[in-house]
Amino acid sequence: MHALAVDGLHKSFDGDPAVDDISLTVPQGEFFSLIGPSGCGKTTTLRMLAGLLTPDAGRVMLNGEDVTDRPARERETNTVFQDLVLFPHMTVAENVGYGLARSGVTDPERGQRVDDALALVKLAGFGDRDPADLSGGQRQRVALARALVNDPTVLLLDEPLASLDRTLRDEMQAEFRRIQRDSDTTFLYVTHDQESAMSMSDTVAVMRDGRIVNAGPPRQLYTDPQTQFVASFLGDATLLDGEVTRHAGPDVVVKTDAGPLRADADAASYAVGDTVTVAVRPEAVTLGGGGLTGTVVDIAYKGFYEEAAVDCNGTELVVRRERNTAATPENATSADGGTGVPFRVGETVTLGVDRAILVENERR
Ligand SMILES: Nc1ncnc2c1ncn2[C@@H]1O[C@H](COP(=O)(O)OP(=O)(O)OP(=O)(O)O)[C@@H](O)[C@H]1O
Ligand SMILES: [Mg+2]
């Protein structure tokens, strides 16, 4: 049995479908992320799961029970929104215990559960504090404790980290994952931040225009994206159109404008002459040697590595190179970084591509 099962969910606003046939299942204890660009229907989906919006069609099941017709307060879901709101006139402990108090849980049980929830989010001893005196990350933890204190079947989170700065977001991401595991709660997490979704989730579902276009473990979606959209939405990728020229073991060789690329594919399902699209990720590109030739058109400094955009006959491929730690700031971008291969704008370089990804054309 799944903690959450959704079947054929639809919602239109003024005749425009915002959610168009969403089905998904989430096993108990899983961290499931729903990601996709702005406006693709993530929040609308979440609101229907929470019981805050009535679907036009489809069913929502929690722990095997159909809750589609139940209002939010009669569902065992809690929601944490982006613009989380703590009650300003209550202490941290009162905020966390609010839902328990409303459902008639009294002390000492309530106090104990509030303490446990605060300990879970590493805010033991903060109960008497005023929410206004907390940092952004601490407020986020209080909101999480408040949502976890009554042990929901599914915790729904809508971009809860969007308002935090990068450092705090990275830290809270790891904390969310830890709290999710420690509490063994099913999380359904909505975000347009692919990176954070990939690092936290057991399963990621990519949405586009109200539909789920690809779902699976992050590694699978990244290495074997089903569509061009997913390939470029999850991480960096250059897309090239080409033609299959021959089979090479389990791979196919694809002729593209940049040159021939070997793509790992279920070769049997492609014939010589097929028109295909391949995606090339920066980490698959090596500098020096290899069969492609191009001109460096841009170099971006990224900290411990540098990234060069290389024009290969009209297509830009991105290649990364770790900084030579021995290089001085003066020679760092102008020298060859100790590899003997130039890395300068205007320079001609050769590139190798270890592995291109064959992606389907969008079925739309
Ligand atoms: N109450 C509403 N009335 C009319 N249209 C709405 C309403 N709520 C959402 N929409 C529309 O439905 C579509 C999906 O909106 P939704 O808020 O679900 O997107 P989202 O994926 O959460 O985007 P974001 O990442 O920007 O939060 C959008 O086109 C939006 O304008
Ligand atoms: Mg939204």
Side-chain angles (χ1 to χ4, degrees), residues 87-109:
F87 305 118
H89 53 282
M90 292 182 187
T91 64
V92 164
E94 285 164 350
N95 263 281
V96 174
Y98 179 75
L100 293 178
R102 279 215 337 181
S103 47
V105 180
T106 52
D107 279 332
E109 190 195 336

Side-chain angles (χ1 to χ4, degrees), residues 78-81 83-87 90 92 94-100 117-118 121 139-152 155:
N78 283 333
T79 313
V80 179
F81 294 104
D83 43 354
L84 65 115
V85 189
L86 298 179
F87 305 118
M90 292 182 187
V92 164
E94 285 164 350
N95 263 281
V96 174
Y98 179 75
L100 293 178
L118 285 174
V121 299
R139 271 198 291 273
Q140 201 75 52
R141 288 165 198 262
V142 175
L144 210 50
R146 185 175 62 180
L148 286 166
V149 75
N150 61 351
D151 206 10
L155 185 61

Side-chain angles (χ1 to χ4, degrees), residues 82 140 158-165 169 189 191-192:
Q82 170 180 348
Q140 201 75 52
D158 193 354
E159 302 266 10
L161 302 179
S163 61
L164 304 181
D165 67 50
R169 202 164 59 218
Y189 193 94
T191 183
H192 56 250

